[in-house]
Amino acid sequence: MQYEPSLGRDELIEFATKTYFGNVDAKNMEAALDCFHDEALFCVQTAHTRHSGKAEIRRMFEDFFGAYETIIHRDFTCTVDEANGRITASFIAELHDADGQVTLLNNTNFWRFRPGPDGPKFQEVYVYMSGANVLT
């Protein structure tokens, strides 16, 4: 199902790279979850995993935030389908654990937005990850 687009190109990029990843990197759980509709779907395609609804997405983020001291998403290259409210971004995920180990991943995310009463939010997120799945 296609949803009526409600964000322009710059707004889509801002939402995905600043609002969403900015809150993920800050480990701001509530603000990160606020980017999703209640029944959103979050899939890691390269690991064949899916998290359906905010409760499952919350649990995924709790594990992710707990596993790394520092989370950085950077060097975004975005492609936007403004007419259909979709965006994709390729980027580097830089993860530092408590032992000082650094994991670098070259990822690509695909987001589909859906309008809602409190603004557009992610309805679907599809992640392609270059290494082991860190979003279990």
Side-chain angles (χ1 to χ4, degrees):
M1 169 184 245
Q2 248 347 89
Y3 298 107
E4 193 67 31
S6 56
L7 295 176
R9 175 184 173 73
D10 292 341
E11 294 166 309
L12 288 164
I13 292 171
E14 177 79 15
F15 192 98
T17 64
K18 304 285 189 224
T19 303
Y20 172 62
F21 276 130
N23 283 302
V24 169
D25 291 356
K27 298 184 181 183
N28 186 341
M29 178 68 78
E30 296 311 314
L33 286 174
D34 192 47
C35 294
F36 294 87
H37 274 278
D38 289 341
E39 68 283 353
L41 181 64
F42 190 108
C43 300
V44 181
Q45 295 293 90
T46 48
H48 309 291
T49 61
R50 54 188 288 151
H51 308 282
S52 184
K54 275 193 178 178
E56 289 183 20
I57 294 169
R58 174 185 293 278
R59 201 260 334 132
M60 176 197 72
F61 278 131
E62 286 172 349
D63 291 350
F64 181 55
F65 292 170
Y68 298 98
E69 295 291 312
T70 305
I71 300 168
I72 302 166
H73 293 87
R74 59 180 170 83
D75 301 339
F76 296 98
T77 300
C78 297
T79 303
V80 176
D81 178 0
E82 186 176 351
N84 293 300
R86 295 179 184 219
I87 180 174
T88 184
S90 296
F91 56 91
I92 294 173
E94 181 179 330
L95 312 171
H96 300 253
D97 69 19
D99 296 327
Q101 297 295 311
V102 177
T103 300
L104 292 175
L105 299 167
N106 294 294
N107 292 358
T108 300
N109 283 16
F110 294 82
W111 294 280
R112 183 170 76 130
F113 285 81
R114 176 179 161 198
D118 53 347
K121 298 184 181 209
F122 298 140
Q123 179 62 39
E124 297 172 7
V125 179
Y126 297 95
V127 178
Y128 291 79
M129 200 172 292
S130 67
N133 183 12
V134 297
L135 301 171
T136 59

